[in-house]
Amino acid sequence: MQLAKKITLLFAILSAVIISLLSGFVWYFSNEFAFEDFYKRLEARVNIAAQIKLVKDENNDAYAKMRAQYLERLPSEKEYVIKADTNTHPNIKTDDALPKSFFDKISEGKTARYRKENHFYAGKVTLTSMAKVISLSLRPMILLVLEN
């Protein structure tokens, strides 16, 4: 094989490997960004739902109007307000069984996230003057109220 053909073949293989690696990195980081952005949007939905459902405020109508106007409803999205005992694992009827570790992390005051296939769950503790609240957002959305 001539030297020119060897150099051309080597350049083509090296270029293909570099382009493949670069494409893989771009895909991975854009995929991670998309999931992170989606979780932040779920957490925003939880905050708005908790504000509307739990806080008696003259701005609730404005929040509800803003939510209806600017937040697109997710497929199968539902809201629940459930009174539960703070010492037990809440019994929630969802498509997926939510793990105890998910609720344990929320009880510690941290933001918890869980994903099973195409269902995304996010939850955090919200304190109001009336109750200690665990707000969960998922597809479908759940809002849990834990009263003292």
Side-chain angles (χ1 to χ4, degrees):
M1 190 181 270
Q2 294 178 350
L3 184 60
K5 287 184 180 179
K6 287 182 182 179
I7 292 173
T8 303
L9 185 61
L10 181 63
F11 178 74
I13 291 172
L14 191 58
S15 296
V17 168
I18 290 172
I19 289 172
S20 296
L21 286 173
L22 185 61
S23 297
F25 284 126
V26 167
W27 175 82
Y28 175 77
F29 287 115
S30 65
N31 192 35
E32 287 297 312
F33 174 77
F35 281 117
E36 185 68 26
D37 186 54
F38 187 74
Y39 277 121
K40 286 182 182 178
R41 290 173 188 265
L42 281 180
E43 290 168 8
R45 286 174 184 267
V46 145
N47 293 335
I48 292 170
Q51 178 69 30
I52 292 170
K53 298 250 184 210
L54 301 173
V55 178
K56 301 301 178 201
D57 191 334
E58 65 273 356
N59 295 327
N60 281 352
D61 291 335
Y63 288 130
K65 184 178 178 182
M66 185 230 14
R67 180 180 189 188
Q69 190 171 5
Y70 295 110
L71 293 180
E72 181 180 339
R73 297 287 290 183
L74 297 173
S76 305
E77 181 179 350
K78 297 176 187 172
E79 292 180 12
Y80 304 92
V81 177
I82 302 168
K83 182 177 179 182
D85 185 0
T86 57
N87 297 324
T88 62
H89 175 66
N91 186 16
I92 305 167
K93 303 292 185 199
T94 62
D95 294 341
D96 306 313
L98 298 175
K100 186 175 183 321
S101 60
F102 178 74
F103 293 103
D104 291 343
K105 191 171 183 180
I106 293 171
S107 297
E108 293 171 5
K110 300 177 183 175
T111 299
R113 295 176 176 178
Y114 176 69
R115 175 183 174 203
K116 185 171 182 182
E117 294 176 10
N118 205 23
H119 290 96
F120 298 85
Y121 303 83
K124 69 178 194 171
V125 171
T126 305
L127 297 176
T128 67
S129 60
M130 295 171 48
K132 179 180 178 185
V133 177
I134 292 182
S135 301
L136 295 180
S137 180
L138 54 133
R139 200 178 124 201
M141 184 183 290
I142 291 179
L143 183 65
L144 282 180
V145 178
L146 298 181
E147 293 192 11
N148 293 334

